[in-house]
Amino acid sequence: MVELGLLSGSSSKYGSSKPVNVSFRIPYYTEWGQSLLVCGSEPVLGSWNIKKGLLLSPVHHGKELIWFGTISVPKGFKCDYTYYVVDEKRNVLRWEMGEKRKILLPEGIQDGEAVELHDLWQVGADSLPFRSAFKDVIFGPKLSLDIEAPPGVIRNTLDQDDSVLVHFKISCPNIEEETAIFIIGNTSKLGQWNVQNGLKLSYAGESVWHADCVLPKSDFPIRYKYCKYGNAGNFSPENGPNRDLVLDSSKTQPRYIFLSDGMKREMPWRGAGVAIPMFSVRSENDLGVGEFLDLKLVVDWAADSGFHLVQLLPINDTSVHGMWWDSYPYSSLSVFALHPLYLRVQELSESMSSDIKLEIEKAKEQLNGKDVDYEATLTTKLAIANKVFAQEKDLILNSSSFQKFFSENQDWLKPYAAFCFLRDFFETSDHSQWGRFSHFSKEKLEKLVSKDSCHYDIICFHYYIQFHLYGQLSEAADYARRKGVILKGDLPIGVDRNSVDTWVNPNLFRMNTSTGAPPDYFDKNGQNWGFPTYNWEEMSKDNYAWWRARLTQMAKYFTAYRIDHILGFFRIWELPEHAMTGLVGKFRPSIPLSQEELEREGIWDFDRLSRPYILQEYLQDKFGASWTFIASNFLNEYQKNHYEFKEDCNTQKKIASKLKSFAERSLLQDEDKIRHELFDLIQNIVLIRDTENPRNFYPRFNLEDTPSFNDLDDHSKNVLKRLYYDYYFHRQENLWRENALKTLPALLNSSDMLACGEDLGLIPSCVHPVMQELGLIGLRIQRMPSEPDLEFGIPSQYGYMTVCAPSCHDCSTLRAWWEEDEERRQRYFKNVVGSDMSPPARCVPEIAHFILRQHVEAPSMWAIFPLQDLLALKEEYTTRPAKEETINDPTNPKHYWRYRVHVTMEALIKDNELISTIKDLVRSSGRSYPAVQAEKLPSQESAAVAGTEKQKMSSSKDKVHPAASLNGVPQKEIVAVR
């Protein structure tokens, strides 16, 4: 017990009164060497200094490990507190998520009384219902509750010695109108399990309900449950076993017990959504590309189809090069500015001239192609917007709405507008070429955007465009919220090397590096995205202010977001800036192999291992009769039959540049093939030497595949294989976990959006536990199972904290995947569908229906389907070649992102047959759907829907004959929480 003097340095603070004894009680399982600690805002709990917090003691109670600790405090004491897991030196290993807890002692408490706080560890998932996606979109609009009793209010008094005052508290964010929360239990005060006589709780705000009652000690142990009870008589008890409250007879029994019982246990909420890039949407009003106001049509169709969510790709400005390769949505020019591509120019003015209106109509016809013409569309829109701006700039720029927008966004808006002006003036986004403007300063910025400058109108034009983009996207976002549909954005892992952000904040980036991914499902040679990696050490100095600003900006439009390549927040695959492929990289952060460590293992020839190992026989094998030409122009023979690259071509970028000059002089016949072979040679290394510390090394990814490795002696091979495995799969786990727990909470606490993480690729073992701890929802794609022994994921076995999908923008669509590999198709049909018959060559609607049903019935919180996969449910939407529906090819760094849906949203809204098919899938699976569409599905109809699917597939013209387990998840009684 804490001595009285620790409270204020002297026990005289209490006078002659006895302090109140406050005990903490929380069940939690720890590993060996770990302990629980409570730390809080007052000195008695360390004043948020973990080293001075209250260390708790463990006691086994049946199967539970309960942690206890006690402090002595004066009456009227108030304090915030949180639980932490610490090691033997009180270093924090993890902490509970959610809001800080509060100690509020009841008024009238007597001197020397004992108060016991019964808490449950708060994990990240506990806070998900309070994210804006649920709070403001799905649950919030249903009702508006008045606060009946604020937190801390105790309505009963304790005046009998043989009684205990128990204060119950539960969180229930999803509750219908005219419904209340009750406690029922095995005592008369709790209704003897009869809800009409149970204890009614009062609403305390923030989805918290509480009540207190005085119970005689003879009533203990108490068994109880929370339940919903509506005016119409509908009764819904919580799931799971009864809750228990036992008085500990081995110590002084408390007179007050405060129960924080967490969340009301209900059937897990599950929803569905549709994914479509903004540029892919087609409408009757757009100019060659989807526009923000088209989202209202997408939301209408989604709500009609039973979807609670619309997911987009990044929508930030990517206008770096002024060419079609700016169509890549993950290479941001600015992480704050929206892309002018998505502007609806018709809505810029109510008094548009007839000439401009005619120009818009002509543009609609010209740009209405099968795919997006990125350059023509953007050029046309900006030209039209410029004409409208010339007519109404004074009206808009002097308006109160613009002034408010400018005031709230000027921190990023002014640098963005200045950057765009300089980019166009110097005809490059490479700000190192901008002379005295290469280095950003606030003084230079203010001169550039000054009203006195001759180019002020150009600056204001960029303000004007962003103002209208903000207004149009905000209008669509507000519409989605009212319809009960979440808009889910996308947070790219990187920014373009030549961006506003690297210009303004160069200290936040490692500009001599490049970001990518090691070899994985998408690309066996790894990926090189070209973004500079982040300087996390520098970012941490202001508590990741740049990241927090990004998320705050996104939250103006979105209520959920996808964290692109969440693995990058644990560790990033870092490549030298001169690399073009993604193979020869290293993880940052990581623990390198030191020269001393290698020498102890008998490895000593570091030049041999870290330089490209090029023998004459390799050259002859790769280039045939041309090997002498290659050797004389690209290599030096430094030892008999051993070669090294010349200085002017000793990096991949230098090789590519030299090859291009040769090709221009017609000295090469197959530039691509020669480049590929030369890249193979320069990557033929076993160890990568650290450029910052030459005595540190990193094992090259897949080093066993290199001729350099295969030419080593057996001892070196065995040592390097062991060190390789340790480096990639064991050595870094604690480091990466600690890194993620520094960076990810800063993101999650920056907004109240619902966060999902794209956790595909080479997954370290620390990733999923950290995501679970932080309440981050993962991604599951059936064709990319995280289990190494599976070819196809099993949706019925996915965890709840996941988004499941049959495909995503980075891979082929469901139709294309089905049709591109006959042998794989047969394995899927046999092992997943359960049929020995030959599968249909095409992904007919019955196949699409089966696969979508597998996913919609999965336990995952979300089932999100690319629109292309949903259109595969209807034959008339499958006439386009399946390959043309692919959004991205990750193996091609110059892929043109231009896919457009071939049917307008207006037409899809009118397609009642497709909408009905999708809605039946969603509602028969037990998933929630928007309230405007909430029709109660009779159990007989649900059974009929499930039964007719087998008939559809077995009677199709392609003779599909699935097994009895057609429905993926066994049908069981599911109560949808709507």
Side-chain angles (χ1 to χ4, degrees), residues 410-411 414-419 422 431 434-450 499-507:
Q410 60 179 319
D411 287 347
K414 291 199 289 189
Y416 166 76
F419 187 98
L422 292 169
H431 37 82
W434 289 355
R436 66 188 182 93
F437 295 110
S438 294
H439 299 287
F440 175 85
S441 73
K442 290 186 177 179
E443 292 75 20
K444 294 175 188 175
L445 174 65
E446 291 304 324
K447 289 181 180 179
L448 278 169
V449 302
S450 168
S499 64
V500 182
D501 301 281
T502 59
W503 181 52
V504 174
N505 299 298
N507 59 314

Side-chain angles (χ1 to χ4, degrees), residues 82-94:
T82 291
Y83 292 99
Y84 299 84
V85 178
V86 297
D87 63 15
E88 294 170 341
K89 296 182 179 180
R90 293 201 177 201
N91 296 313
V92 175
L93 301 176
R94 69 182 62 89

Side-chain angles (χ1 to χ4, degrees), residues 501-516:
D501 301 281
T502 59
W503 181 52
V504 174
N505 299 298
N507 59 314
L508 302 184
F509 305 90
R510 294 171 52 82
M511 297 298 290
N512 62 338
T513 66
S514 186
T515 306

Side-chain angles (χ1 to χ4, degrees), residues 856-877:
V856 80
E857 290 184 339
S860 303
M861 180 189 295
W862 288 101
I864 300 178
F865 305 102
L867 182 59
Q868 303 96 301
D869 292 353
L870 294 166
L871 296 182
L873 288 167
K874 194 168 182 181
E875 191 76 42
E876 71 178 80
Y877 297 133

Side-chain angles (χ1 to χ4, degrees), residues 806-835:
S807 65
C808 65
H809 68 272
D810 274 328
C811 60
S812 53
T813 61
L814 187 54
R815 286 176 58 219
W817 177 78
W818 183 266
E819 296 167 14
E820 65 194 9
D821 188 328
E822 180 181 357
E823 292 183 0
R824 183 182 62 201
R825 181 168 67 238
Q826 290 175 340
R827 292 193 301 273
Y828 183 91
F829 206 62
K830 178 179 177 61
N831 298 327
V832 180
V833 177
S835 173

